[in-house]
């Protein structure tokens, strides 16, 4: 197949083939990071702008490294939401960046749908690096890439996602991606953190961690952000760890080779014990490495598509 | 215009449910009034409109319009809003009081009234607010609003949270025989929601507005109206449960009426999945089942009226992040066509019933002498090419704002002429 989307906004809108195409492209880019000279000229002369409306080090640095290994020029813009409220609109900011003749905007935004709105208004590529509670497609792609690398397949796997599902863009992107590739997804959280009707996205829902881990080939542990939502009643930290924390004791009752993933940054002793985070089932640091390959693939594909085709990913929905 | 202000509309299909008329007929208009409806009329010196093959109906009475003046003339003015109204076949409308300042006093009523007298292109009647500043704390002087000329009271845009205050308002309104229009939304049940609660909100990563937040408040306000003996009208009903509750109340003989907007009976929540802020309104677009219930409610008489909830907003307030964008869409220029396309074409309502919902019933609910084509009535009427299709285009809109949910959609039904007070007030260019 050939890639035709100028943007990567959400896994919900991608086909199975498109997801697999990104993953196989990422496989070929992974080797670059093992070279002595970790650089290929694929995006030489292209400009990538990291436009981050929310503080993020991990994702921004990962995109920056990915772009640089493709020889692109990288510009980082960090904008606090408060200044955006007063000043320039998102679309104006995007058009200004486009006028600088940048080729790709990688955007993190605290509002759901922001990447879609930006993409609709620009000719250059937009890569969603996380929008509100909506999606974080490259995170899910790197999670899936890592799983596939470890277990050789996605089809038929049982994957548990544990934590604050309601407010998690990582959860939503993983659900779409894993479902499309034929995995069976279980989400697990206290009731107040399970969004309404999520079962209609094709997942099993449980409040019991033991049920989620039973038969799971992998567990994706979400970061608990206790500071995040003032409206929802949140469980107490210690109570959460007691009921949902991923501990060695719980892993001992799960499949022996269960893969433990976490999008980071981890909260030791809150959603995951140090023993598990540093233990043999954990692939957390490999995820970080794979994130580079996946993001190289995404940047490469959207840059190519925006050069070749006028098709707008929004119109394909 | 002829010298003696005569217009003769020839050969149209005249639909006037008030007089059980649905026939090919001519209509003679003289000096602002309808003087005759009948066959083979002729009139010396009259301006003739050939309406053969077209439908002639009473001017639309839209009982839910935000004209934004005074205070937000950047969104709409009385002048621009009524011009848009005429283009859509709307000759009478109820201006909602959530202006700046709110229409919460005689003084503010008079301010708006004077603007209307100077600039309105169509008939505009005014609703006063239930509470001062629409803040839900203190009642307005309802008797004084009534004596000033307000024909209804409403805090539209918000619900009156306090049950005691709402009951008192309904009691006073009952005493004044004044209609109370309720925006039913329990904010406690939908804090910061922006789209229909459930799968849509979950998929989009947005907070939801639950059906409960609407129908529980519909339930409450009907109970309070019954207790107070007041006339209650429920604005923009959006979900199946509300329709059911209203149907039951009507069966019990409670004096309640309700309206539905064209966007709620046409578009379901899937329209919002692309984060298009022109699909963001309150109440939100609901599910397919709700649309079916709304249509059924229209067909079986539970829903009395079609109203646009015309809510203009500037580009700056809409072309931003979805959650930050204002709620609401313009609708004056598309409501008739949407009703034709979705209700008449799909056999939900026949033409006489459609006219009843869009013209006769709202006039009756508001208590204004409009909505029928009887000789002697004000000559407010619309000549429609019912089969003509058009695509809603932003540059074609007369409203100051372009936040229309039907942009790019193909609709059936074009207004050829709108006659207001016996004059051709709009003619398709």
């Amino acid at each position: 197949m050939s890639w035709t989307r100028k943007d990567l906004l959400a896994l919900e809108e991608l086909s199975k083939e498109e997801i697999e195409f990104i993953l196989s492209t990422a496989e070929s880019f992974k080797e670059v990071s093992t070279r002595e000279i970790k650089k290929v000229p694929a995006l030489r002369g292209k400009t990538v702008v990291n436009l981050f409306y929310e503080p993020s080090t991990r994702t921004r640095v990962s995109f920056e490294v990915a772009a640089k290994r493709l020889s692109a020029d990288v510009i980082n813009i960090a904008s606090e939401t408060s200044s955006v409220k007063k000043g320039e609109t998102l679309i104006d900011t995007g058009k200004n960046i486009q006028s600088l003749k940048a080729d790709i905007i990688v955007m993190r935004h605290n509002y759901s749908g922001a990447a879609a709105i930006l993409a609709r208004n620009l000719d250059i590529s937009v890569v969603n690096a996380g929008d509100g509670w909506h999606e974080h497609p490259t995170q899910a792609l790197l999670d899936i890439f890592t799983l596939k690398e470890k277990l050789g397949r996605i089809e038929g796997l049982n994957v548990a996602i544990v934590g604050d599902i309601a407010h998690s863009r990582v959860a939503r992107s993983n659900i779409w991606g894993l479902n499309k590739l034929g995995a069976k997804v279980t989400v697990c959280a206290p009731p107040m953190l399970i969004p309404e009707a999520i079962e209609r996205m094709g997942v099993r829902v449980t409040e019991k961690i033991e049920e989620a881990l039973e038969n799971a080939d992998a567990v994706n542990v979400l970061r608990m952000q206790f500071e995040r939502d003032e409206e929802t009643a949140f469980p107490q930290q210690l109570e959460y760890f007691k009921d949902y924390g991923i501990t060695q004791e719980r892993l001992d009752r799960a499949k022996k080779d269960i893969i433990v993933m976490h999008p980071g940054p981890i909260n030791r002793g809150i959603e995951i014990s140090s023993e598990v985070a540093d233990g043999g089932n954990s692939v957390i640091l490999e995820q970080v490495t794979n994130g580079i390959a996946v993001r190289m693939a995404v940047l490469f594909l959207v840059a190519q598509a925006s050069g070749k085709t006028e098709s707008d990913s929004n119109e394909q929905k | 215009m002829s010298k003696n202000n005569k217009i003769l509309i020839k050969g149209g299909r005249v639909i006037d449910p008030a007089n059980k008329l649905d026939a090919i007929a001519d209509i003679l208009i003289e000096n602002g009034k309808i003087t005759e409806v009948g066959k083979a009329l002729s009139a010396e010196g009259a301006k003739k409109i050939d309406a053969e093959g077209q439908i002639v109906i009473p001017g639309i009475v839209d009982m839910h319009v935000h004209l934004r003046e005074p205070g937000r003339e950047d969104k709409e003015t009385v002048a621009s809003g009524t011009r848009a109204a005429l283009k859509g076949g709307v000759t009478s409308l109820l201006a909602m009081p959530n202006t700046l300042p709110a229409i919460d006093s005689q003084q503010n009523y008079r301010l708006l009234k004077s603007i209307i007298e100077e600039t309105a292109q169509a008939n505009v009647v005014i609703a006063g607010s239930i509470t001062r500043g629409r803040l839900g704390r203190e009642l307005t002087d309802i008797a004084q609003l009534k004596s000033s000329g307000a024909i209804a009271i409403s805090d539209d845009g918000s619900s009156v949270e306090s049950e005691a205050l709402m009951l008192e308002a309904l009691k006073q309104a009952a005493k004044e025989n004044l209609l109370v229009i309720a925006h039913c939304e329990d904010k406690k049940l939908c804090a910061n929601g922006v789209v229909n609660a459930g799968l849509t909100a979950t998929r989009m990563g947005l907070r939801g507005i639950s059906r409960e937040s609407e129908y529980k408040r519909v339930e409450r306000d009907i109970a309070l109206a019954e207790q107070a003996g007041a006339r209650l009208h429920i604005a923009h009903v959006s979900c199946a449960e509300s329709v059911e509750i209203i149907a039951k109340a009507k069966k019990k003989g409670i004096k309640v009426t309700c309206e539905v907007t064209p966007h709620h009976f046409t578009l379901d929540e899937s329209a919002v999945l692309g984060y298009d802020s022109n699909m963001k309104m309150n109440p939100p677009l609901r599910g397919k089942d709700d649309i079916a219930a709304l249509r059924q409610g229209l067909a079986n008489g539970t829903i009395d009226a079609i109203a646009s909830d015309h809510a203009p907003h500037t580009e700056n307030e809409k072309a931003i992040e979805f959650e930050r964008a204002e709620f609401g869409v313009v609708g004056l220029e598309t409501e008739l066509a949407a009703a034709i396309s979705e209700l008449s074409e799909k056999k939900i309502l026949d033409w006489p019933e459609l006219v009843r919902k869009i013209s006769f019933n709202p006039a009756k609910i508001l208590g204004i002498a409009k909505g029928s084509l009887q000789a002697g009535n004000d000559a407010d009427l619309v000549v429609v090419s019912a089969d003509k299709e058009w695509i809603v285009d932003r540059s074609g809109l007369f409203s100051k704002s372009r936040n229309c949910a039907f942009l790019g959609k193909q609709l059936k039904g074009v207004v050829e002429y709108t006659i207001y007070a016996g004059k051709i007030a709009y003619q398709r260019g």
Side-chain angles (χ1 to χ4, degrees), chain A residues 12 84-85 89-91 109 111-113 116-117 120 133-134 172 176 195-198 200-201 229 231 317, chain B residues 191-192 197-199 201-207 210 269 273-277 316 319-324:
Chain A
E12 181 179 358
V84 170
K85 268 186 189 157
T89 67
L90 171 62
I91 294 169
H109 203 291
Y111 283 111
S112 296
I117 291 165
R120 203 157 49 218
W133 305 342
H134 175 226
R172 285 175 179 75
W176 292 118
E196 203 180 331
I198 186 118
R200 288 170 60 199
M201 279 173 66
D229 193 335
E231 301 149 30
K317 272 197 268 188
Chain B
N192 299 319
L199 183 61
T202 294
R203 274 168 83 174
M204 297 179 76
L206 296 171
R207 292 181 180 87
S210 64
E269 58 191 323
L273 290 173
Y275 298 94
D276 177 355
S277 62
N316 295 343
I320 52 177
E321 295 83 345
F322 187 86
E323 283 162 89
R324 293 176 59 216

Side-chain angles (χ1 to χ4, degrees), chain B residues 89-241:
Chain B
V90 177
T91 52
S92 288
L93 62 86
L94 178 67
M96 283 297 178
N98 61 335
T99 45
L100 290 172
I103 309 306
D104 60 358
S105 66
Q106 185 171 56
Q107 189 190 350
N108 292 342
Y109 178 92
R110 284 179 177 162
L111 168 66
L112 175 55
K113 184 73 184 167
S114 72
I115 297 167
I116 290 166
E117 276 163 5
E118 278 169 40
T119 64
Q121 312 290 303
N123 179 38
V124 179
V125 290
I126 301 171
S129 65
I130 299 174
T131 64
R132 287 198 194 277
R134 295 177 49 259
L135 296 170
R137 295 198 197 112
E138 189 191 344
L139 289 187
T140 52
D141 188 336
I142 291 170
Q144 194 181 54
L145 281 171
K146 162 89 179 188
S147 66
S148 304
I151 65 167
I153 50 170
S154 179
D155 268 7
D156 183 62
S158 316
S159 186
V160 178
E161 284 295 332
S162 157
E163 196 169 324
L165 205 62
M166 187 62 173
L167 179 61
E168 185 54 32
L170 286 158
K171 281 181 176 166
Q172 291 192 24
K175 209 168 89 191
E176 301 296 329
N177 189 24
L178 194 59
L179 178 71
V180 178
I181 301 177
H183 168 116
C184 291
E185 180 188 15
D186 185 340
K187 277 280 176 201
K188 293 188 295 299
L189 294 177
C190 59
N192 299 319
V194 286
V195 295
N196 193 25
L199 183 61
T200 295
T202 294
R203 274 168 83 174
M204 297 179 76
L206 296 171
R207 292 181 180 87
I209 301 175
S210 64
R211 291 171 175 79
E212 285 93 330
S213 69
E214 175 178 306
Y215 72 75
K216 296 247 164 157
R217 190 49 56 88
V218 169
E219 221 160 26
R220 183 199 83 171
D221 285 353
I222 288 176
L224 295 177
E226 184 184 21
Q227 193 182 336
R231 284 193 295 139
L232 178 71
H233 177 81
I234 310 288
H236 46 54
V237 167
S238 75
C239 65
E241 294 89 341

Side-chain angles (χ1 to χ4, degrees), chain B residues 291-308:
Chain B
I291 292 187
L294 293 170
R295 291 177 177 209
Q296 200 191 350
L298 278 164
N300 68 22
T302 303
I303 298 176
D304 304 274
I306 294 166
S308 68

Side-chain angles (χ1 to χ4, degrees), chain A residues 230-285:
Chain A
E230 57 301 332
E231 301 149 30
T232 322
F234 259 62
Q236 293 298 305
Q237 291 195 12
L238 288 175
E239 202 182 306
Y240 182 82
F241 187 66
K242 187 162 77 58
D243 294 343
Y244 294 93
I246 304 300
T247 59
Q248 194 55 50
E249 195 195 353
R250 288 197 162 117
L251 285 197
D252 289 342
R253 277 181 267 133
K255 276 194 180 176
K256 187 168 148 284
D257 297 324
I258 185 170
I259 305 280
V260 177
M261 298 190 289
H262 191 301
I266 58 174
N267 290 312
R268 290 170 185 268
I270 293 177
E271 70 264 353
I272 190 166
S273 72
S274 281
E275 199 185 0
V276 172
D278 303 330
N281 299 81
S282 165
V283 296
I284 295 172
L285 293 174

